Amino acid sequence: MTTITTTATSLPTPAARWYDGEQRWTQLTFVEDDPLTFDLAEWADVLERTSSTAICISAGGYIAFYPTKIPMHYRSMHLGSRDLLGEVVDLARSRGMSVMARIDPHAVHQDVVDAHPEWIARTEDGKHFEHWAFPGTYVTDAYGDYNWEFTTQVAREIAADYDVDAIFANRWQGHGPSYTETARRLFRANSGLELPTSADAPGSALWSTYHRWRRSRLSELVAHWDEQVRAVKPSVRFIPNLGSFAAGELDDAVARDHVPFFLVDHQARNEGETQWAAGRDAKRTRSIYPDKPVGLITSVGPESHGYRWKDSVNASAETVGWIVDGFVHGAFPWFTKFAARIHDSRWIPAVERAFGLHRDVASLWQGSRPAAEVCVWDVDGPLVTDRVRRAGIGIYQALVELRVPFEYVNDRSQHRLLAPETRLVILPEVSEIAAESASALRRFVQDGGSLVVIGTGPQTPDGRLLVGDLLGAELVERRDGIVRNNYIVPAANGRLHRGFDGATRIIGGTRLATFETPAHLTVDWRFVPDHPDLPMEEVYPRSEAVTPAVFGGAVGDGHVSVLGFNAAELYGEVLLEDHLILLGNAVREGLGDEPAVEITGAGLIDSAVWAGESDYAIAFANLTGPMAMRGQQRDVWPLDGLTASIDLARLSTAVGRSLGAGDITVDVFDGDEVRRADWSLDDAGRVVVVLPTVFELGLVRVSW
């Protein structure tokens, strides 16, 4: 097959971009026998009921649902004279909708294996990689000519023959190192090494080298596909389906120049996940590319414990709650349905409700920027340890329970440190940061910001520990555990003791960092010396608590607090209230005891703050219910008696203009519509409003 080469076309001007504005996507993934029964009118009704503005429709790759002319591009055996892609494209265009054509290049049939064995991934022992779920078909090599040439030809054919806005690729990233001669040759040329195998430790230097090469190779492929379809029609784009941390999976230059928006493929809760995971993934991607739209792909069925019941449906409250939590944090909604036949229609009212909420409410912060006062330093990806990942989960859960809106910041998104409203950054057991990030954090604190470091704190590539650099504290010992039966006691004249009346000691950590602290620092808590947890008669400390466990001090005009144990990781694991109280004390101290936004009353909510040209919105998803932490929500638990208060001076700082009580109006969402609300200004200069009953979604919006 001849390799196609083109010159990249220029990007459309912003005014011409089809993906600007509100987006609500329907994705219909055909199965092979759908041409026999596909009812276009039935799906037109779904589009109408869900207020969908766009559709993604199966086109080709593994199976073509249009009359392809490309040899070895397998057509559905039931297609006959139908053109399902063309039928849906015509329907969508008649409704003024955007259209993406979906291709899936991850597997092929036997005829392709026979004609091009070099296109097929191999196992470690050199055998062709037979599909794990459908024997008789085979997994393709993502790094070689099947993707670079054959799939390119498919994408170009669709772009040329159909009125689509984009080509969307699913399962295009491969399944492991492939072990083809092409993959081996490319990796060897890049690194001088052989591909890693199962004999190599997962966190080894070889696997790390492979992951970096994989990211680079797949980034080049994304750029190649985008250039190829734009060469056919300059307005058509290529959209890669990515994982839960979408922006972290591509090289920066490729993501910036060749990905018009990101899709986070986190379709439902996995085992043990909390419902706020939807919004977390949106925030992660936004933090790196704040100017690019982000979408959250949601399945109408369950995605748990590795099972794939594709003809089933989730509980309605679960589907609505997942979508709402996503768009509260800025991810436009996208639902996916596998097979055109509707075996169970109960998902339709759920998507109708969720998409209707997005249409009626989320448009109010469309185009606004995130304006939370708190940032969490985030790391994720294949090279991150499980420990750091658990700490990230723990701090997220804690901040949700504490009702602290926050955004993410990391080595690639230091711009958040410069936002006028950012007052506190939390580093939850982060082990490494770039030297430039350490310098940025130092400037942030010296200029008046606060920092909460949990654990040892990160070090830069040259080995400098951030805590030592900022506070002059010297790391004496790092104990990565598991340390058992550890406690901390409040230090005399210390801080961060609120909520512990009656307690002379509380649980400490299972991984400890002990520091020698200079005299100018304040010690808030001290470690109780280790002692056994069995036999029971031996469970007592042999000496007094002297080693600092929690300490802090001023740096320039700001402040740094250090919690020298794995409080975030441990909170995510065992959810101890004392750790939540301690983390809350550290956060409140970092915010000067008065957060810009506060919501009081019963319930579990996940909130975000958005600032626009003439408004400031606090939106939150209602996660309340016995299944919030695991499983599927069974029902919506209405919340009554919530009160929101907003510091008018802090709001003025966030939006860059001085606002008085006479300048503003306040709106709330009552479950059906956004309406004007009564409010008052308290003696502390805070706008106070009592919210109506909150169902799936709450909103307070201040306008001027």
Side-chain angles (χ1 to χ4, degrees):
M1 185 175 295
T2 302
T3 302
I4 304 167
T5 58
T6 64
T7 301
T9 55
S10 60
L11 287 168
T13 60
R17 300 190 311 187
W18 55 268
Y19 48 86
D20 286 333
E22 288 187 43
Q23 298 189 64
R24 287 178 292 277
W25 285 82
T26 288
Q27 179 185 342
L28 176 54
T29 303
F30 288 132
V31 297
E32 184 162 18
D33 67 346
D34 272 337
L36 299 174
T37 58
F38 176 56
D39 186 339
L40 188 65
E42 181 179 45
W43 278 92
D45 181 63
V46 170
L47 298 177
E48 177 68 27
R49 291 179 60 180
T50 59
S51 303
S52 294
T53 65
I55 189 166
C56 179
I57 188 72
S58 288
Y62 175 65
I63 293 180
F65 293 96
Y66 70 98
T68 178
K69 304 177 186 68
I70 298 173
M72 291 182 294
H73 189 200
Y74 178 90
R75 286 175 50 164
S76 166
M77 68 175 72
H78 303 291
L79 188 63
S81 61
R82 293 195 75 171
D83 179 354
L84 267 59
L85 173 61
E87 292 176 30
V88 177
V89 169
D90 289 345
L91 170 66
R93 290 312 197 190
S94 73
R95 298 176 58 84
M97 299 172 67
S98 300
V99 182
M100 277 204 279
R102 174 188 178 272
I103 58 175
D104 186 334
H106 91 279
V108 293
H109 295 82
Q110 185 66 51
D111 63 323
V112 179
V113 181
D114 295 338
H116 286 281
E118 74 279 9
W119 288 357
I120 311 305
R122 305 239 173 201
T123 57
E124 289 183 19
D125 60 3
K127 296 178 181 178
H128 280 139
F129 188 166
E130 191 168 15
H131 203 288
W132 63 94
F134 190 39
T137 62
Y138 291 83
V139 176
T140 57
D141 173 20
Y143 310 119
D145 288 347
Y146 180 78
N147 268 352
W148 281 78
E149 296 188 8
F150 181 83
T151 303
T152 299
Q153 192 174 5
V154 172
R156 286 173 61 91
E157 180 181 59
I158 296 168
D161 294 348
Y162 293 89
D163 183 16
V164 298
D165 295 298
I167 306 297
F168 170 78
N170 186 61
R171 288 189 177 272
W172 59 278
Q173 297 154 296
H175 295 267
S178 279
Y179 300 111
T180 61
E181 182 51 43
T182 299
R184 293 180 186 277
R185 173 175 50 80
L186 291 170
F187 183 67
R188 194 182 302 120
N190 177 269
S191 66
L193 303 170
E194 296 300 321
L195 287 168
T197 68
S198 56
D200 299 296
S204 67
L206 182 57
W207 276 108
S208 297
T209 301
Y210 164 74
H211 285 303
R212 286 190 291 270
W213 169 78
R214 176 182 181 271
R215 171 173 159 162
S216 177
R217 179 66 176 169
L218 294 180
S219 294
E220 293 170 0
L221 180 60
V222 168
H224 170 71
W225 277 337
D226 188 48
E227 290 171 356
Q228 290 290 321
V229 296
R230 286 160 63 194
V232 176
K233 288 180 185 174
S235 63
V236 176
R237 302 304 304 272
F238 172 77
I239 309 293
N241 191 17
L242 297 167
S244 59
F245 188 22
E249 297 183 31
L250 298 173
D251 291 342
D252 281 338
V254 170
R256 183 181 62 250
D257 298 337
H258 293 283
V259 182
F261 60 85
F262 289 99
L263 289 171
V264 175
D265 192 359
H266 193 168
Q267 298 184 17
R269 280 201 271 185
N270 296 310
E271 54 270 23
E273 275 194 315
T274 52
Q275 202 166 16
W276 48 250
R280 172 197 61 192
D281 294 341
K283 282 199 285 197
R284 275 184 165 153
T285 300
R286 284 195 294 96
S287 72
I288 299 176
Y289 299 105
D291 298 328
K292 289 182 181 289
V294 178
L296 174 69
I297 300 177
T298 299
S299 173
V300 301
E303 296 282 333
S304 183
H305 293 82
Y307 303 125
R308 292 176 61 82
W309 293 299
K310 305 314 295 182
D311 289 333
S312 64
V313 300
N314 283 322
S316 293
E318 178 72 15
T319 296
V320 176
W322 187 256
I323 293 173
V324 167
D325 194 69
F327 72 66
V328 158
H329 292 287
F332 61 78
W334 169 307
F335 83 87
T336 179
K337 169 70 171 69
F338 293 85
R341 288 184 299 280
I342 299 176
H343 302 282
D344 186 337
S345 64
R346 289 176 294 173
W347 62 267
I348 300 177
V351 174
E352 184 178 0
R353 171 64 174 169
F355 277 33
L357 289 170
H358 181 267
R359 176 198 62 218
D360 295 339
V361 183
S363 59
L364 295 177
W365 61 85
Q366 179 87 26
S368 299
R369 64 173 182 84
E373 296 182 292
V374 176
C375 287
V376 171
W377 199 274
D378 183 48
V379 289
D380 200 0
L383 306 182
V384 174
T385 65
D386 289 340
R387 171 187 172 181
V388 172
R389 191 170 286 112
R390 288 194 299 270
I393 292 171
I395 196 65
Y396 203 118
Q397 176 65 30
L399 293 175
V400 167
E401 292 189 61
L402 293 167
R403 294 186 177 172
V404 175
F406 73 93
E407 291 295 323
Y408 278 130
V409 63
N410 54 48
D411 284 333
R412 299 164 68 190
S413 60
Q414 297 173 21
H415 60 273
R416 284 295 311 167
L417 300 177
L418 302 177
E421 68 276 354
T422 302
R423 301 168 61 206
L424 170 64
V425 177
I426 304 171
L427 288 90
E429 299 157 56
V430 177
S431 58
E432 297 178 346
I433 58 172
E436 296 82 0
S437 297
S439 298
L441 286 170
R442 170 178 278 280
R443 290 192 298 271
F444 170 75
V445 175
Q446 288 176 330
D447 290 344
S450 295
L451 204 63
V452 172
V453 179
I454 304 174
T456 307
Q459 66 178 21
T460 55
D462 62 1
R464 293 169 63 89
L465 198 64
L466 183 66
V467 170
D469 190 41
L470 292 176
L471 293 175
E474 182 179 349
L475 180 65
V476 175
E477 185 181 19
R478 175 175 177 167
R479 301 173 65 186
D480 284 333
I482 299 292
V483 178
R484 299 188 181 278
N485 206 32
N486 178 257
Y487 299 88
I488 59 176
V489 299
N493 303 316
R495 313 150 303 143
L496 310 186
H497 297 166
R498 180 187 301 177
F500 293 114
D501 292 345
T504 58
R505 72 174 63 166
I506 64 172
I507 294 173
T510 59
R511 311 180 200 273
L512 314 181
T514 56
F515 289 86
E516 183 177 330
T517 55
H520 70 276
L521 300 182
T522 300
V523 177
D524 306 304
W525 293 79
R526 298 184 185 275
F527 285 119
V528 174
D530 290 355
H531 51 282
D533 59 3
L534 279 175
M536 295 305 298
E537 293 81 0
E538 301 290 349
V539 183
Y540 65 94
R542 270 59 171 181
S543 57
E544 296 298 315
V546 295
T547 304
V550 179
F551 58 92
V555 177
D557 293 332
H559 189 274
V560 177
S561 292
V562 179
L563 281 64
F565 61 95
N566 58 328
E569 179 195 19
L570 203 51
Y571 188 69
E573 185 177 357
V574 294
L575 297 172
L576 294 169
E577 183 183 32
D578 283 350
H579 288 159
L580 180 66
I581 295 172
L582 182 61
L583 290 167
N585 287 344
V587 169
R588 291 191 71 91
E589 181 188 60
L591 294 177
D593 249 9
E594 286 294 334
V597 174
E598 194 163 31
I599 299 176
T600 58
L604 181 67
I605 63 174
D606 184 15
S607 57
V609 180
W610 297 93
E613 293 273 338
S614 59
D615 60 1
Y616 182 89
I618 304 98
F620 58 91
N622 177 13
L623 309 184
T624 310
M627 311 306 290
M629 302 294 291
R630 181 180 183 275
Q632 295 203 359
Q633 292 279 29
R634 307 287 193 259
D635 206 350
V636 176
W637 291 60
L639 301 179
D640 288 307
L642 293 182
T643 298
S645 70
I646 305 165
D647 188 302
L648 198 54
R650 299 263 172 81
L651 187 159
S652 298
T653 298
V655 300
R657 61 181 298 171
S658 178
L659 295 171
D663 301 321
I664 64 173
T665 58
V666 178
D667 296 308
V668 294
F669 180 60
D670 64 9
D672 292 316
E673 62 179 358
V674 177
R675 61 174 175 80
R676 191 59 46 85
D678 295 328
W679 58 278
S680 60
L681 193 69
D682 68 12
D683 293 339
R686 299 181 70 89
V687 175
V688 180
V689 57
V690 177
L691 276 65
T693 300
V694 173
F695 297 94
E696 303 96 336
L697 173 67
L699 173 73
V700 180
R701 179 176 179 243
V702 179
S703 305
W704 51 89

